[in-house]
Amino acid sequence: MIDAGKGQHSKAAVVDALNPGQAGESDHNYHDYLREIMDGLSPSVFVGLLTTGGALLYANRAALEAIGGNHDKVLGKHFAATPWWAFSASLRRRLRKAIRQAAKGESSRFDMTLRDSAGRLRVMDFTLHPVYGRQGQILYLVPSAHDVTDRIQAEQALRMTQFAVDHAQGIVFQMNADGRVRYVNESACRHLGYAREELVGMPVHEIDPRIAEGDWPALWDRLKAQRSVRLESIHRHRDGHGIPVEISANYFEYEGEEYSFVYVDDISERKATEERIRHLAYYDSVTGLPNRILLCDRLNQAIDSAGRSGQQVIVLFIGLDRFKLVNSVLGHAGGDEVLRIAATRLVAAIDQTDTVARIGGDEFAMVLSGPRAVDPTRTARRILDAIAQPVDVAGQELFVTCSIGAAIYPDDGTDADELLKHACTALHRAKAQGRNDVHAYTPDPGGWDPEWLPLEAGLRKALQRGEFELHYQPRIDLRTGGFSGTEALLRWRHPDKGMLLPARFIPIAEETGLILPIGEWVLQAACLQQRVWLDKGVAPAHIGVNISARQFRQPDLARHVARVLQETGVDPCQLEIELTESMLIQDVDSAIHAMSELKDMGVHIALDDFGTGYSSLSYLRRFPIDTLKIDRSFVSEITSDQSSAAIADAIIAMAHRLGMTVIAEGVETTDQLDILRGSGCDHAQGYLFSRPLPADALTQGLAQGLFAT
Ligand code: C2E
Ligand code: CA
Ligand code: CA
């Protein structure tokens, strides 16, 4: 009869219990039995007996104790009106209704929440059902209640946990032993971009593409053995992008089933930071190229694999020429821009497998292996060309060249340091020998490094010691065939090394600034010599003097020239100052200003080495140039190469239209001479007529009628 099920009790049994006489038990009263049974129930089970009108006839001990054991207060009273635990008004209404319904044969069951005498909230699973008599009439009503507070609290706790997990920031999966998702929380749905219904049941390999379809059983076994596994992997978002994750999976069994809880951390940001740090450590911040550390790493790798396959590795050391100047003209931001442009061009010049790095202010290095290592000179030439293309920085067109030193594994070194050092030495030699060129490393004992210092020391004293002299190379007028001028070329009679050519010492003089006093001396010596020739009546129409970039930038150059001309009594129009293109285009406005000052005095201006730079004639027309000197490298090609001859033709014609006189330099053969003459070239200079000679030798030659065609 205390069965809580609705209407499942047998009517007969209940009636028997309530009518013990008829049940045949005599020695012990059934009521007593029942009372004992009910009083002996667990203290959380309350049972009572009501009249069909709801008056309380009986309550078991647990129930009475719950209200302080006071029978009088409750027995005979209407159940809903008893001073039971704090019944609320609505609960009382509900009980009255349940009593009315039970009186009509309808059982009730519901949870009632109330406060016990100690003030604690209790949840009771309450039932009320009727007890029938023989004729099926309702005799009594039986209320029963048992305390389910603990169960309800546990359920509530579970729901709260579920809620907390569902809404947790962290990403949580629950996996079944078959490798499919059993549960995901909302963060997990957001993390992967799916709805929960789509994720539940999804096989793990669709989420983590690193797990192959058949791999799961082995992974599960490992998890089972280790109980927990932590690893990094990649998750695939619904839109296809990969998300770096850290996974920690725990294995557990519950009621005979196996599961895994998987906690996932999205580590995209950490990975990005790591990548940034790695980038800072191994890459140059200005150009984004690898730095020296990474280059050495790659070089060592290349050496390793070349060593095995017997191939060679080329290291190119590339220095931008006169980068300090670029920086001082454009400022650091402009300088950085030039570096970035250079970097892009260098990257474009090599294969993807090769490395280019920035390893210092204006220095880059390349490691070439594979196909480009077979023909390094060609790659180097491509680089020279690429760098020499005009650069546009802040609306200013700029011309930058580079020099390249090359070292080869295994010939020039067997490790990264040695190869880089030797490539660097070769670079310095390339720079010393005129820049914008490539130089291969040679282990020359009289090579650059050992030579530089003693030469520099000697150079400082050479002026006082009178070790410099000028040689003069005659220039021939191609129309008349006569002697039309000379170019003064500097020589250093070194006390130990003998006669040194300018290529050996001019770069040092430029670098150290000694070029300024030396240049002054040259100008003065050349003008003095012209004075001598004037006095002898054999003076050439023009005497050419080379001016270095540094000299050209001296603000008082024109004044100095004027003074020398005045002191020597040479007519300004006999002096021809030779400048090169790179001197003009680095700072166009100042160059035009300096040239105009000289022009205004009547001094002639020649553009030297034309054809080695990159400016077009129409660009150069902005400068007040009288004479164009076509470079030797160009002249030497005109006989071998149809297009060079055509270009020479076009240059000469155009120079004439611009009112310039044209001199061909380095003419060595009569074939060259014929072509030049055919193109209308005005003058020529070169070994065909004469090498540069000491003044006396030239004077003698003139007297003998040499140097004419
Ligand atoms: P540059 O002004 O182009 O001088 C012409 C160079 O070509 C000279 O070399 C000359 O000897 C050489 N040359 C002339 N004809 C021929 C030829 O037919 N074949 C060949 N292979 N070479 C020929 P050098 O004297 O060694 O001078 C080299 C450079 O040094 C000059 O090139 C010039 O840039 C510079 N230089 C010479 N003297 C001075 C100077 O007093 N001051 C400055 N700043 N630079 C100078
Ligand atoms: Ca010259
Ligand atoms: Ca020249």
Side-chain angles (χ1 to χ4, degrees):
M1 68 177 262
I2 52 169
D3 173 20
K6 288 178 192 163
Q8 283 165 11
H9 47 278
S10 137
K11 290 177 189 172
V14 174
V15 174
D16 283 350
L18 288 165
N19 298 286
Q22 286 158 34
E25 187 62 57
S26 57
D27 60 329
H28 198 84
N29 188 322
Y30 256 108
H31 282 103
D32 293 337
Y33 273 130
L34 285 173
R35 204 180 298 269
E36 251 171 64
I37 289 170
M38 290 191 278
D39 286 347
L41 288 173
S42 134
S44 67
V45 177
F46 306 159
V47 186
L49 194 67
L50 306 181
T51 66
T52 51
L56 185 66
L57 296 176
Y58 162 77
N60 74 344
R61 184 181 295 150
L64 288 172
E65 269 170 14
I67 56 162
N70 192 341
H71 284 167
D72 302 341
K73 273 192 170 169
V74 291
L75 291 181
K77 300 257 170 69
H78 192 279
F79 180 63
T82 49
W84 210 252
W85 291 339
F87 281 2
S88 64
S90 68
L91 187 54
R92 284 182 204 283
R93 273 197 300 279
R94 193 154 183 207
L95 283 171
R96 282 185 198 282
K97 191 176 165 204
I99 289 165
R100 280 197 304 276
Q101 284 174 333
K104 289 186 222 152
E106 236 178 89
S107 300
S108 302
R109 180 177 181 182
F110 53 88
D111 281 351
M112 53 188 208
T113 305
L114 34 76
R115 264 181 215 289
D116 67 13
S117 47
R120 270 176 302 151
L121 265 188
R122 296 289 199 95
V123 183
M124 312 295 285
D125 180 359
F126 176 78
T127 62
L128 183 67
H129 53 79
V131 176
Y132 293 87
R134 277 259 157 93
Q135 278 80 42
Q137 80 279 29
I138 294 173
L139 297 177
Y140 304 103
L141 307 179
V142 175
S144 77
H146 71 276
D147 191 332
V148 293
T149 310
D150 288 349
R151 197 195 78 215
I152 295 287
Q153 276 178 351
E155 278 170 13
Q156 210 167 29
L158 202 67
R159 274 199 303 276
M160 278 166 67
T161 309
Q162 178 82 35
F163 182 86
V165 174
D166 277 351
H167 297 88
Q169 285 276 291
I171 300 163
V172 181
F173 289 79
Q174 194 185 343
M175 301 299 299
N176 284 330
D178 65 359
R180 285 175 185 272
V181 174
R182 179 191 174 91
Y183 162 83
V184 282
N185 72 351
E186 285 174 9
S187 291
C189 297
R190 270 197 307 278
H191 163 67
L192 293 174
Y194 287 99
R196 184 173 284 172
E197 310 81 74
E198 295 174 294
L199 279 174
V200 171
M202 189 178 272
V204 68
H205 61 83
E206 284 184 22
I207 295 169
D208 189 336
R210 291 196 180 180
I211 299 176
E213 233 180 301
D215 284 356
W216 181 257
L219 280 173
W220 187 255
D221 286 347
R222 191 179 131 202
L223 180 61
K224 216 167 147 173
Q226 298 180 0
R227 295 279 141 172
S228 83
V229 169
R230 236 180 136 85
L231 48 93
E232 281 189 13
S233 191
I234 305 278
H235 275 177
R236 186 164 47 207
H237 189 270
R238 179 186 207 134
D239 67 16
H241 81 270
I243 309 163
V245 287
E246 188 176 79
I247 292 170
S248 79
N250 297 309
Y251 169 87
F252 70 99
E253 280 169 32
Y254 183 70
E255 295 184 342
E257 275 198 76
E258 299 175 314
Y259 305 103
S260 168
F261 258 115
V262 181
Y263 305 95
V264 176
D265 265 337
D266 180 336
I267 54 170
S268 310
E269 240 167 69
R270 194 179 86 201
K271 284 280 163 194
T273 309
E274 279 170 12
E275 180 54 27
R276 268 199 300 280
I277 291 169
R278 205 182 71 85
H279 212 269
L280 282 179
Y282 291 110
Y283 291 84
D284 164 49
S285 60
V286 174
T287 60
L289 292 180
N291 63 12
R292 191 188 192 101
I293 301 171
L294 188 54
L295 179 93
C296 285
D297 223 51
R298 302 243 177 105
L299 178 52
N300 280 323
Q301 280 171 24
I303 290 170
D304 278 355
S305 71
R308 284 193 299 273
S309 61
Q311 287 178 320
Q312 56 179 24
V313 177
I314 309 292
V315 179
L316 298 182
F317 217 99
I318 302 153
L320 299 184
D321 296 331
R322 306 178 183 87
F323 184 70
K324 279 198 197 75
L325 198 71
V326 172
N327 250 344
S328 60
V329 172
L330 296 177
H332 281 285
D336 285 355
E337 185 57 25
V338 170
L339 288 172
R340 277 191 284 273
I341 293 170
T344 313
R345 293 179 182 179
L346 293 177
V347 169
I350 57 166
D351 289 331
Q352 277 208 322
T353 47
D354 293 332
T355 302
V356 55
R358 177 169 174 233
I359 55 177
D362 57 3
E363 286 173 341
F364 298 86
M366 271 184 192
V367 174
L368 308 175
S369 49
R372 294 229 182 269
V374 176
D375 193 355
T377 333
R378 219 166 118 192
T379 304
R381 294 257 160 237
R382 273 169 51 133
I383 292 166
L384 290 175
D385 281 351
I387 293 294
Q389 297 307 306
V391 176
D392 195 338
V393 178
Q396 204 169 341
E397 198 179 38
L398 207 83
F399 295 81
V400 180
T401 56
C402 69
S403 303
I404 303 177
I408 300 173
Y409 167 87
D411 305 355
D412 302 330
T414 49
D415 65 42
D417 281 347
E418 199 180 7
L419 286 165
L420 277 171
K421 198 179 96 196
H422 287 166
C424 179
T425 305
L427 167 67
H428 283 127
R429 284 186 203 154
K431 286 206 168 195
Q433 294 185 4
R435 303 185 156 110
N436 195 17
D437 205 357
V438 53
H439 216 279
Y441 173 75
T442 41
D444 175 10
W448 180 251
D449 284 337
E451 195 174 60
W452 174 283
L453 285 175
L455 268 191
E456 183 184 335
L459 203 57
R460 291 184 185 280
K461 299 186 191 111
L463 263 183
Q464 300 118 326
R465 292 181 180 166
E467 290 167 1
F468 289 120
E469 52 190 79
L470 290 179
H471 284 193
Y472 297 89
Q473 186 174 37
R475 167 204 302 184
I476 307 303
D477 184 326
L478 292 184
R479 230 151 313 169
T480 64
F483 171 61
S484 63
T486 61
E487 178 179 1
L489 294 159
L490 185 60
R491 302 290 179 260
W492 179 12
R493 193 175 293 281
H494 193 277
D496 314 319
K497 297 180 197 293
M499 190 71 94
L500 298 183
L501 289 174
R504 288 282 289 281
F505 60 88
I506 290 244
I508 308 175
E510 273 178 351
E511 213 82 26
T512 54
L514 286 168
I515 193 71
L516 294 176
I518 294 174
E520 278 179 27
W521 178 86
V522 169
L523 183 67
Q524 190 156 32
C527 288
L528 276 173
Q529 183 58 47
Q530 179 71 351
R531 178 77 259 155
V532 172
W533 282 325
L534 282 167
D535 293 343
K536 285 191 177 157
V538 292
H542 294 114
I543 178 158
V545 173
N546 294 286
I547 295 281
S548 83
R550 241 174 136 143
Q551 260 178 294
F552 185 61
R553 287 202 307 277
Q554 291 298 106
D556 59 351
L557 174 68
R559 246 194 349 223
H560 175 68
V561 170
R563 205 186 60 233
V564 173
L565 288 171
Q566 210 209 341
E567 280 168 10
T568 52
V570 171
D571 191 329
C573 73
Q574 292 178 351
L575 177 65
E576 192 156 79
I577 296 288
E578 299 194 1
L579 306 171
T580 59
E581 189 184 294
S582 57
M583 292 154 77
L584 307 187
I585 56 194
Q586 265 155 7
D587 183 354
V588 172
D589 293 339
S590 327
I592 291 178
H593 177 74
M595 289 165 91
S596 305
E597 276 188 329
L598 293 169
K599 276 283 291 200
D600 290 348
M601 286 160 49
V603 172
H604 276 228
I605 292 173
L607 184 70
D608 206 355
D609 302 343
F610 182 76
T612 55
Y614 295 87
S615 308
S616 64
L617 257 183
S618 50
Y619 179 75
L620 293 172
R621 76 196 298 173
R622 308 163 65 185
F623 303 96
I625 297 165
D626 300 287
T627 308
L628 199 67
K629 299 190 79 174
I630 298 180
D631 189 65
R632 176 163 59 90
S633 59
F634 209 82
V635 169
S636 67
E637 277 171 14
I638 57 174
T639 46
S640 56
D641 177 345
Q642 276 283 312
S643 69
S644 298
I647 294 170
D649 242 32
I651 289 173
I652 292 166
M654 179 136 186
H656 283 162
R657 271 203 302 283
L658 295 174
M660 299 176 186
T661 305
V662 180
I663 304 177
E665 291 187 298
V667 179
E668 292 180 343
T669 68
T670 48
D671 286 350
Q672 290 166 353
L673 183 65
D674 291 343
I675 290 176
L676 288 164
R677 201 181 256 141
S679 298
C681 186
D682 305 293
H683 303 265
Q685 190 183 329
Y687 293 173
L688 177 64
F689 311 105
S690 168
R691 290 181 175 262
L693 298 171
D696 290 348
L698 185 77
T699 316
Q700 262 179 29
L702 284 174
Q704 291 164 12
L706 295 173
F707 327 126
T709 56

